[in-house]
């Protein structure tokens, strides 16, 4: 469900000057060798990501998004010969049908066909999605198999190079399981097997949600008043085992630590009724300053785009002024930004507690 945005802020309040050279084009040589800005205290502390276990207690609970990025980008041609570039937004469960973003000199009409990668065809069924901005197609075969064989890694628009074998490996978490995302849950890209083992040795429990990240995560906010912005919708699932793990964490006095904003959005969406509920559904939750958090105490996340909904989310969690100071330090200390960049650890501000 959408929530009214705080009237106290406009989009301009979440803008900042980011030197373009700080936008990471490639990941760190080792996942857990990324930098970590520990912003849980009044003064941020510079760390390395593999130090994360030492910042947690055995009473804490880490919750990950186990979605798997699909090779959602396709190139092809209409039957007329016109070139087509496409990005699958969603595979409709149990069907050969997809919703996709599609660019062509002239939009294909319902009933026409497109051939992708000179390997397989698809029928255009019509328009769909918010404001009819997406295309509804039926593939000549299983979408997941065809995308895996012929698609490209859907790197974000601010990464300038074409996808490579290294991107295929690194733009995916080491525990990715459920296929369906067209963008990675990037905070989780910093975790490797050694770090997960270190967390287990410390006694930190882990749980998971699934939220299939859509391309809308990169869409800019095009209105000035936050209350006028319409969030994109994404499918998510919170299993009963995670609900039980959160309850156990609360009972022992631990902290719920969301790994990534997608995990946070799933958890807080599932708790809008007052308590965390298991199940699968859609969410278009828009988290801005003034939001009442019910589940998440801490957040591991990367550094976000200026004026983005994710800047608004972290400001809601940790406090607007604190986030301004954290980002100023990150820029001053030359942290790397966005999907392949460094990370920060945030705590929920006392004022946001229910």
């Amino acid at each position: 469900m959408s929530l009214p945005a705080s009237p106290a802020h406009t989009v301009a309040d979440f803008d900042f000057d980011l030197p373009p050279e700080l936008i990471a084009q490639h990941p760190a040589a080792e996942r857990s060798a990324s930098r970590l800005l520990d912003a849980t205290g009044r003064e941020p502390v510079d760390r390395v990501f593999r130090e994360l276990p030492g910042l947690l207690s055995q009473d804490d609970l880490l919750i990950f998004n186990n979605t798997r990025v699909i090779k959602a980008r396709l190139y092809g041609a209409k039957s007329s010969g016109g070139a087509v570039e496409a990005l699958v937004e969603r595979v409709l469960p149990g069907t050969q049908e997809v919703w996709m973003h599609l660019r062509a000199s002239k939009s294909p009409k319902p009933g026409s066909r497109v051939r992708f990668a000179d390997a397989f065809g698809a029928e255009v069924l019509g328009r769909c999605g918010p404001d009819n901005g997406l295309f509804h197609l039926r593939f000549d075969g299983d979408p997941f198999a065809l995308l895996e064989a012929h698609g490209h890694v859907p790197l974000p628009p601010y990464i300038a190079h074409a996808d490579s074998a290294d991107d295929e490996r690194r733009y995916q978490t080491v525990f990715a399981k459920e296929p369906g995302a067209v963008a990675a849950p990037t905070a989780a890209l910093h975790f490797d097997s050694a770090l997960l083992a270190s967390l287990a040795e410390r006694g930190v429990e882990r749980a998971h949600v699934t939220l299939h990240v859509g391309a809308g995560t990169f869409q800019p906010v095009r209105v000035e008043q936050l209350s006028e912005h319409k969030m994109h919708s994404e499918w998510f699932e919170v299993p009963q085992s995670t609900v039980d793990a959160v309850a156990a964490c609360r009972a022992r006095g631990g902290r719920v630590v969301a790994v990534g904003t997608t995990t946070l959005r799933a958890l807080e969406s599932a708790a809008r009724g007052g308590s965390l509920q298991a199940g699968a559904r859609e969410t278009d939750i828009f988290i801005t300053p003034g939001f009442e958090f019910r589940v998440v105490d801490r957040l591991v996340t990367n550094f976000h785009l200026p004026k983005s909904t994710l800047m608004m989310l972290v400001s809601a969690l940790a406090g607007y002024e604190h986030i301004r100071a954290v980002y100023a330090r990150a820029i001053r200390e030359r942290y790397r930004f966005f999907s392949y960049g460094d990370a920060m650890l945030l705590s929920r501000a006392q004022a946001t507690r229910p």
Side-chain angles (χ1 to χ4, degrees):
M1 60 183 283
S2 293
L3 295 171
S6 169
H9 289 287
T10 64
V11 173
D13 293 327
F14 302 92
D15 195 10
F16 59 92
D17 292 325
L18 178 66
E21 66 270 18
L22 296 186
I23 300 174
Q25 295 296 310
H26 299 276
E30 299 177 31
R31 290 178 185 265
S32 59
S34 298
R35 299 170 72 190
L36 174 67
L37 186 56
D38 176 6
T40 56
R42 184 181 298 273
E43 292 297 327
V45 178
D46 302 309
R47 302 184 186 276
V48 178
F49 199 86
R50 63 171 63 97
E51 297 178 51
L52 179 65
L55 305 177
L56 305 174
S57 80
Q58 62 181 6
D59 292 328
D60 292 340
L61 173 67
L62 271 178
I63 305 182
F64 296 89
N65 182 2
N66 70 354
T67 188
R68 185 172 189 85
V69 179
I70 58 177
K71 295 180 182 178
R73 194 173 301 283
L74 290 166
Y75 300 93
K78 297 180 292 184
S79 54
S80 63
V84 166
E85 180 180 342
L87 178 68
V88 172
E89 174 73 19
R90 183 177 300 200
V91 177
L92 303 186
T95 74
Q96 294 176 199
E97 298 174 15
V98 302
W99 291 0
M100 62 166 51
H101 305 266
L102 194 150
R103 291 199 306 180
S105 57
K106 289 186 178 180
S107 296
K109 292 181 167 52
S112 65
R113 291 185 62 80
V114 178
R115 185 166 179 81
F116 290 111
D118 200 24
F120 71 95
E123 179 185 359
V124 179
L125 301 179
R127 303 297 289 264
C128 61
D131 302 320
N132 273 339
L134 299 174
F135 287 82
H136 187 183
L137 280 77
R138 182 188 296 116
F139 284 5
D140 294 345
D142 174 53
F144 289 118
L146 291 171
L147 289 171
E148 181 62 28
H150 306 290
H152 292 263
V153 179
L155 293 176
Y158 44 75
I159 291 181
H161 64 267
D163 63 308
S164 66
D166 189 53
D167 294 305
E168 188 173 337
R169 180 176 64 91
R170 294 298 301 274
Y171 197 63
Q172 193 80 269
T173 66
V174 297
F175 45 78
K177 182 180 179 182
E178 303 293 339
V182 302
T186 54
L189 297 179
H190 303 287
F191 290 81
D192 53 26
S193 298
L195 181 55
L196 293 174
S198 179
L199 288 163
E201 289 172 9
R202 191 169 177 81
V204 179
E205 291 192 10
R206 305 204 310 263
H208 73 273
V209 300
T210 304
L211 185 145
H212 292 324
V213 194
T217 191
F218 302 116
Q219 292 299 312
V221 179
R222 294 187 172 90
V223 296
E224 186 57 30
Q225 298 299 321
L226 302 192
S227 59
E228 298 174 4
H229 177 65
K230 180 174 176 56
M231 282 289 287
H232 60 287
S233 182
E234 294 167 315
W235 181 93
F236 77 97
E237 180 175 14
V238 176
Q240 185 61 47
S241 59
T242 296
V243 174
D244 296 340
V246 169
C249 176
R250 290 277 183 255
R252 62 178 178 261
R255 296 164 298 194
V256 175
V257 184
V259 178
T261 56
T262 60
T263 298
L264 182 149
R265 293 183 74 241
L267 291 169
E268 296 297 338
S269 295
R272 292 316 306 155
S275 61
L276 187 63
Q277 300 292 319
R281 46 198 172 279
E282 297 279 331
T283 181
D284 60 357
I285 193 170
F286 185 20
I287 298 177
T288 62
F291 181 85
E292 183 180 280
F293 290 87
R294 300 181 183 275
V295 183
V296 175
D297 299 302
R298 282 187 164 187
L299 173 66
V300 179
T301 185
N302 284 16
F303 295 93
H304 308 110
L305 281 72
K307 298 196 290 188
S308 66
T309 60
L310 298 181
M311 275 296 296
M312 298 163 196
L313 183 153
V314 295
S315 298
L317 181 79
Y320 178 80
E321 294 299 337
H322 185 59
I323 287 297
R324 298 296 293 186
V326 167
Y327 271 69
R329 181 187 179 96
I331 293 170
R332 185 172 64 251
E333 297 299 324
R334 314 296 288 178
Y335 276 73
R336 302 166 75 241
F337 275 63
F338 306 162
S339 296
Y340 275 154
D342 298 312
M344 57 183 165
L345 177 64
L346 303 174
S347 283
R348 182 166 61 164
Q350 291 294 326
T352 69
R353 296 185 186 278

